Amino acid sequence: MTAEEEDWLGYEMADRLSSLGMHKEALDIFRVLAENGHGAAMSRLSLMYFEGHGVDKNFAESIKWDLAAIAAGYDASANLALTYCAMREFREARRWFERSVELGDGDSALELAKLLYVSDAEIENVKRLVDIALSSALITPDSLEKAAAFRQKLH
């Protein structure tokens, strides 16, 4: 078994532990993998800091790990945008959502559309983003349903 395969087995184990509510144990595994350059583990570690699973909530740590994941070639831009939204830093959130949309993420297109839907000045951009979400192959079923309802509301 290669080192990469071992890392993915470790990641899957940590994922299972987290889903069972064993967040501290999962956190320890994700941290080791992240410190060894595993981009997906960096992103999961970021989420754990964002949600406060196994550790105190810490947006600065969440951002640090998402930026590390991105630097390692793993797309964590949507997670980063959500962290900036939670911090009410909407310009940074927009920047990272736009990056994620460029990479084809339909969920990010919907989130960015919702973020921009504050005035009629952005309405054409909002419609375009919702249409991107609706045509994306990278969107969750729940977001696809929400995007369809949102698009009808925009007519």
Side-chain angles (χ1 to χ4, degrees):
M1 179 178 295
T2 68
E4 185 176 340
E5 290 170 330
E6 286 180 19
D7 285 350
W8 278 109
L9 282 175
Y11 179 90
E12 289 172 5
M13 181 180 10
D15 185 52
R16 278 192 297 267
L17 289 170
S18 184
S19 70
L20 293 171
M22 301 173 70
H23 300 299
K24 287 193 182 289
E25 295 84 350
L27 182 82
D28 291 341
I29 295 168
F30 285 135
R31 184 181 313 282
V32 169
L33 292 169
E35 289 171 352
N36 287 326
H38 195 279
M42 292 174 190
S43 181
R44 282 300 296 274
L45 191 56
S46 168
L47 282 172
M48 295 186 86
Y49 278 106
F50 178 81
E51 295 169 342
H53 287 165
V55 68
D56 291 336
K57 276 189 178 188
N58 185 326
F59 291 151
E61 279 295 304
S62 179
I63 290 169
K64 175 185 114 177
W65 285 110
D66 274 334
L67 289 173
I70 291 166
Y74 185 84
D75 180 31
S77 52
N79 292 345
L80 191 54
L82 291 171
T83 302
Y84 280 117
C85 278
M87 296 171 62
R88 306 193 62 74
E89 293 185 23
F90 299 118
R91 285 187 184 167
E92 277 300 299
R94 180 179 183 164
R95 183 169 79 95
W96 289 103
F97 275 136
E98 286 172 344
R99 181 181 190 274
S100 188
V101 170
E102 287 173 13
L103 295 172
D105 185 353
D107 292 288
S108 290
L110 177 60
E111 290 302 318
L112 182 54
K114 292 190 297 189
L115 183 66
L116 297 178
Y117 189 57
V118 293
S119 74
D120 288 339
E122 290 279 4
I123 197 67
E124 292 306 314
N125 201 16
V126 169
K127 288 178 182 178
R128 180 185 65 79
L129 287 162
V130 173
D131 290 342
I132 289 171
L134 289 169
S135 64
S136 176
L138 300 174
I139 188 167
T140 62
D142 184 54
S143 290
L144 187 58
E145 187 177 306
K146 288 177 181 175
F150 191 19
R151 187 63 174 103
Q152 290 226 321
K153 179 176 155 180
L154 295 173
H155 277 83

